[in-house]
């Protein structure tokens, strides 16, 4: 007989920790005297998965609280950032609901208190609390304290790389230029008091500096000290005569191009028809990113309900942030070296079939496809994602890339990822408005023969390595690519924008009055957008009208919706099943 081996789950975990990346170490262990077998003598995998051993009590190591100064600091931050009520040394960041946004905030907070070695790729490789703590050290001194400059709030200050790209990209000489980066939405509700809403808008204009911002020709932005009172024009029509007025509202507002030198860089209009009001809101993303829009609408609802409502403090400005958070020379040099080494290895953008060459579209207009997953369906997907240690955003991005790959000439591609990075340098930083947008080029390079879970994890790991080098923006990388290729311009025009995880503390019920929306961005062909509401998940695909052959967007979007349905019950160890394009669709030469 074979000698018995006395193993404890903690022993197995330690042995695997020494040999495997953290995300590959199982969350649960069970020691069995023998494995259940099928009638033909093979391991009965179904019986193993269903066995009662997974409910056994955890070992002392698995329920131990954080130990030591670093683990205790991490434990406090996990309680603050993650949706958990208690933490142990073996808790896994992903299984506790962590994602790239929370990871970025966690790493930034650690740096702000003088912790050295905090990087996203380190968290990915060591996702347990104790494992990540072991990679960190307390520095000799804490980081410099952020200081607001209220006396300089109206002085000019430089635009960000993304703001500069938005300003240049709207010029008609650029491919798919002539449009601004614009967000438009319509709300429809009964018995709206427009005068009360107007008062709320003016309160927010006085409260938030970037609602009074303008831009000059030298590449500077500044906040106006005073502006005239903002009025919301109202068109009154009978209920049975509303359609022409509502159509005119959408036509005039949905694709508006603001003059960045003229205030305001937003527009609000109303149509009252019978007892209902349709409200159109257009915003230039030069001054507001996606999180800022959510903050704006949340505060607008609060002030409309109660003009005396106490809002969260804003003891810092967007100008303060921009003037005090520039990367140090060492960080910038390291990021440039990283991206320079990746330039020649980045796959091209998706080679999607086009109806015309983009250079021939001189006045781009955008159309939208949208879908909604109910709360239960989305909950099943997010639960499975946590079990596979994949963030929901990375999972959706992988599915998006798989669908795009089916319509492209090759499965690998580079996509532009929109991120909302706010370094936590001040307690009020998540309360203010501004364009904190960062753009990241992410390569999707699926390994042949692997399943969706493995591909999504590999994509997630690559994305987190890239996020550690965001001191250099995607716009710098694109300029460097164009310089090396001897081109006037280059772009990665297929975009993925995720607002998952940015809604903490914000109103997610406004969708009840949502009527219609569209976004537009210069040099973009297709933008996948996703955000959560109280009742589930909303996905939009905004694309340039007339750029793709008839039926292509509908086919791809249908395949993507089928992929989201499959995620709830499919085997993630297998490839994602994607129906290919129709045979008669082929890309134009360009």
């Amino acid at each position: 007989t074979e000698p018995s081996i006395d193993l404890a789950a903690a022993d197995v975990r330690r042995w695997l920790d020494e040999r495997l990346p953290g995300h590959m170490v199982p969350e649960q262990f069970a020691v069995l005297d023998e494995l259940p077998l099928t009638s033909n003598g093979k391991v009965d995998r179904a019986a193993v998965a269903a066995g009662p051993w997974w409910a056994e009590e955890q070992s002392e190591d698995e329920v131990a609280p954080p130990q030591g100064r670093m683990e205790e600091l991490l434990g406090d931050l996990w309680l603050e950032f993650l949706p958990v009520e208690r933490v142990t040394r073996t808790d896994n960041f992903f299984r506790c609901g962590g994602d790239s946004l929370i990871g970025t905030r966690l790493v930034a907070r650690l740096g702000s208190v003088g912790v050295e070695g905090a990087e996203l790729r380190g968290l990915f490789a060591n996702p347990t609390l104790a494992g990540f703590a072991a990679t960190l050290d307390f520095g000799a001194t804490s980081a410099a304290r952020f200081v607001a400059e209220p006396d300089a709030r109206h002085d000019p200050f430089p635009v960000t790389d993304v703001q500069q790209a938005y300003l240049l990209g709207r010029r008609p000489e650029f491919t798919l230029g002539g449009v601004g980066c614009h967000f438009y939405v319509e709300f429809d509700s009964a018995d709206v008091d427009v005068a009360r809403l107007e008062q709320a808008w003016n309160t927010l204009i006085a409260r938030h500096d970037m609602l009074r911002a303008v831009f000059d020709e030298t590449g500077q932005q500044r906040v106006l000290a005073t502006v005239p009172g903002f009025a919301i024009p109202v068109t009154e029509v009978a209920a049975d005569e509303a359609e022409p007025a509502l159509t005119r509202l959408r036509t005039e507002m949905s694709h508006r191009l603001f003059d960045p030198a003229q205030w305001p860089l937003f527009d609000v209009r109303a149509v009252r028809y019978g007892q209902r009001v349709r409200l159109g809101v257009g915003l230039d993303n030069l001054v507001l990113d996606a999180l800022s829009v959510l903050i704006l609408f949340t505060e607008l609802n609060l002030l409309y309900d109660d003009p005396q409502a106490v809002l969260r403090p804003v003891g810092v400005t967007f100008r303060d942030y921009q003037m005090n958070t520039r990367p140090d020379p060492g960080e910038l040099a390291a990021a440039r070296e990283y991206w320079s080494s990746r330039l020649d290895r980045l796959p091209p953008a998706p080679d999607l079939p086009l109806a015309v060459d983009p250079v021939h579209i001189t006045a781009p207009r955008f159309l939208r496809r949208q879908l909604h997953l109910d709360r239960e369906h989305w909950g099943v997907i997010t639960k499975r994602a946590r079990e596979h240690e994949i963030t929901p955003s990375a999972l959706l991005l992988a599915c998006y890339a798989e669908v795009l790959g089916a319509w492209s000439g090759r499965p690998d591609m580079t996509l532009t990822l929109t991120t909302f990075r706010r370094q936590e340098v001040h307690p009020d930083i998540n309360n203010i408005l501004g364009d904190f947008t960062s753009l990241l080029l992410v390569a999707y390079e699926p390994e042949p023969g692997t399943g969706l879970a493995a591909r999504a994890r590999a994509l997630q790991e690559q994305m987190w390595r890239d996020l550690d080098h965001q001191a250099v923006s995607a716009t710098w990388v694109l300029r460097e690519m164009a310089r090396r290729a001897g081109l006037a311009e280059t772009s990665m025009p297929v975009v993925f924008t995720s607002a998952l995880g940015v809604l903490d503390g914000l109103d997610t019920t406004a969708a009840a009055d949502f009527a219609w929306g569209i976004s537009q961005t210069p040099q973009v062909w297709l933008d996948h957008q996703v955000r959560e509401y109280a009742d589930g998940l909303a996905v939009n695909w905004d694309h340039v009208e007339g750029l793709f052959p008839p039926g292509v967007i509908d086919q791809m979007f249908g395949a993507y919706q089928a992929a989201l349905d499959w995620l709830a019950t499919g085997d993630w160890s297998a490839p994602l099943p994607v129906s290919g394009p129709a045979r008669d669709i082929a890309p134009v030469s360009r």
Side-chain angles (χ1 to χ4, degrees):
T1 60
E2 293 293 331
S4 63
I5 300 175
D6 184 16
L7 285 177
D11 297 324
V12 178
R13 185 187 299 279
R14 279 191 289 269
W15 189 85
L16 291 174
D17 280 338
E18 295 172 357
R19 291 163 174 79
L20 294 176
H23 68 277
M24 295 181 67
V25 178
E27 182 71 13
Q28 288 183 290
F29 295 86
V31 180
L32 309 180
D33 293 332
E34 60 183 13
L35 291 172
L37 303 178
T38 64
S39 59
N40 59 7
K42 295 184 178 181
V43 174
D44 188 341
R45 297 180 181 273
V48 171
W53 33 80
W54 303 116
E56 293 179 358
E57 292 185 3
Q58 294 176 296
S59 69
E60 291 184 6
D61 277 7
E62 291 173 316
V63 296
Q67 299 174 8
R69 184 182 169 201
M70 186 64 74
E71 289 187 15
E72 289 173 353
L73 171 61
L74 272 184
D76 289 342
L77 293 178
W78 282 31
L79 288 171
E80 179 181 347
F81 292 147
L82 297 171
V84 295
E85 296 182 356
R86 61 184 292 270
V87 294
T88 71
R89 302 187 73 235
T90 57
D91 279 347
N92 183 290
F93 177 78
F94 297 103
R95 292 177 182 262
C96 289
D99 56 26
S100 58
L101 179 66
I102 296 174
T104 300
R105 294 176 60 196
L106 176 66
V107 166
R109 179 70 68 83
L110 290 169
S112 71
V113 296
V115 172
E116 297 178 351
E119 296 179 319
L120 284 172
R121 59 183 180 272
L123 179 57
F124 182 91
N126 305 277
T128 64
L129 187 145
F132 187 45
T135 70
L136 307 175
D137 290 303
F138 284 104
T141 59
S142 297
R145 182 175 175 80
F146 183 92
V147 178
E149 299 179 281
D151 293 340
R153 67 189 307 169
H154 304 303
D155 293 348
F157 60 104
V159 296
T160 68
D161 281 355
V162 171
Q163 286 176 313
Q164 184 180 49
Y166 290 165
L167 287 167
L168 292 175
R170 67 180 61 201
R171 295 180 180 177
E173 60 264 31
F174 286 95
T175 302
L176 295 180
V179 298
C181 191
H182 183 256
F183 172 85
Y184 176 70
V185 65
E186 292 178 3
F187 299 101
D188 198 290
S189 187
D191 300 320
V192 175
D193 185 338
V194 177
R196 188 183 183 94
L197 186 68
E198 186 178 283
Q199 178 184 354
W201 267 98
N202 280 287
T203 298
L204 293 176
I205 291 169
R207 167 178 164 81
H208 290 291
D209 283 19
M210 291 306 289
L211 291 179
R212 306 190 307 278
V214 293
F215 297 75
D216 62 36
E217 295 180 354
T218 66
Q220 299 274 301
Q221 57 190 318
R222 63 188 177 90
V223 172
L224 301 176
T226 60
V227 294
F230 180 73
I232 299 177
V234 182
T235 300
E236 304 267 0
V237 296
D240 58 356
E241 298 176 355
E243 186 173 345
L246 297 178
T247 300
R248 185 165 56 253
L249 177 79
R250 186 170 299 176
T251 301
E252 293 178 354
M253 294 191 67
S254 62
H255 285 73
R256 182 173 174 187
L257 179 61
F258 291 97
D259 179 354
Q262 299 295 319
W263 181 86
L265 295 180
F266 55 86
D267 190 10
V268 185
R269 306 181 198 178
V271 174
R272 185 182 299 280
Y273 59 108
Q275 298 299 313
R276 300 194 66 84
V277 169
R278 176 71 57 88
L279 188 74
V281 181
L283 306 165
D284 196 315
N285 290 123
L286 276 170
V287 293
L288 299 175
D289 61 13
L291 176 55
S292 297
V293 172
L294 298 175
I295 295 171
L296 175 67
F297 287 152
T298 297
E299 295 188 348
L300 190 66
N301 286 338
L302 290 172
L303 290 172
Y304 179 81
D305 291 339
D306 178 9
Q308 305 303 318
V310 177
L311 304 179
R312 298 188 299 182
V314 285
V316 64
T317 68
F318 182 67
R319 183 187 187 281
D320 291 331
Y321 182 89
Q322 289 304 117
M323 298 301 291
N324 289 276
T325 56
R326 298 172 184 174
D328 64 59
E331 182 184 8
L332 189 60
R336 286 180 174 172
E337 181 179 358
Y338 172 84
W339 285 107
S340 294
S341 70
R342 286 190 54 75
L343 280 178
D344 296 332
R345 295 183 287 115
L346 285 176
D351 188 22
L352 297 175
L354 301 180
V356 297
D357 192 308
V359 299
H360 298 313
I361 297 181
T362 57
R365 292 186 68 84
F366 284 71
L367 300 176
R368 170 167 289 184
R369 300 292 186 275
Q370 55 189 2
L371 65 86
H372 179 267
L373 295 184
D374 62 45
R375 184 177 180 180
E376 181 179 1
H377 186 102
W378 178 234
V380 171
I381 293 174
T382 55
K383 181 177 183 296
R384 298 190 74 189
R386 284 195 298 270
E387 292 170 352
H388 286 83
E389 298 182 12
I390 302 170
T391 69
S393 286
L395 177 65
L396 296 181
L397 177 57
C399 291
Y400 183 49
E402 287 286 316
V403 170
L404 294 171
W407 268 262
S408 301
R410 50 192 287 179
D412 61 335
M413 66 194 71
T414 296
L415 302 172
T416 298
L417 182 67
T418 308
T419 67
F420 309 106
R421 182 191 184 198
R422 298 189 183 203
Q423 299 181 42
E424 299 216 359
V425 293
H426 190 279
D428 301 343
I429 198 61
N430 289 313
N431 303 341
I432 68 173
L433 307 186
D435 181 23
F436 295 86
T437 304
S438 298
L439 301 177
L440 187 74
L441 299 185
V442 176
Y444 184 66
E445 300 174 284
E447 184 177 347
T450 56
L452 175 66
R455 293 183 176 195
R457 279 196 296 267
L459 173 64
Q460 178 173 266
E461 187 170 3
Q462 180 61 58
M463 181 171 64
W464 283 39
R465 284 196 297 268
D466 296 341
L467 285 167
D468 275 331
H469 297 90
Q470 266 195 298
V472 164
S473 70
T475 54
W476 182 91
V477 179
L478 290 172
R479 287 196 298 266
E480 186 65 13
M481 291 176 67
R483 185 189 67 80
R484 291 189 182 188
L487 300 173
E489 60 175 298
T490 189
S491 66
M492 294 293 178
V494 182
V495 180
F496 180 86
T497 302
S498 171
L500 301 182
V502 305
L503 298 177
D504 294 345
L506 299 179
D507 179 19
T508 58
T509 62
D513 294 330
F514 174 80
W516 191 80
I518 193 69
S519 70
Q520 60 184 35
T521 309
Q523 283 78 63
V524 165
W525 296 359
L526 171 65
D527 185 3
H528 172 301
Q529 304 157 11
V530 57
R531 63 166 290 186
E532 287 176 295
Y533 291 96
D535 61 349
L537 187 79
V539 177
N540 302 322
W541 281 21
D542 290 347
H543 63 94
V544 176
E545 182 180 13
L547 179 61
F548 301 95
V552 165
I553 291 296
D554 288 330
Q555 288 183 27
M556 289 198 299
F557 194 66
Y560 184 73
Q561 185 164 10
L564 299 190
D565 291 339
W566 179 87
L567 288 177
T569 58
D571 179 5
W572 292 14
S573 65
L576 178 72
V578 179
S579 300
R583 295 288 183 183
D584 58 347
I585 294 176
V588 301
S589 59
R590 55 185 187 273

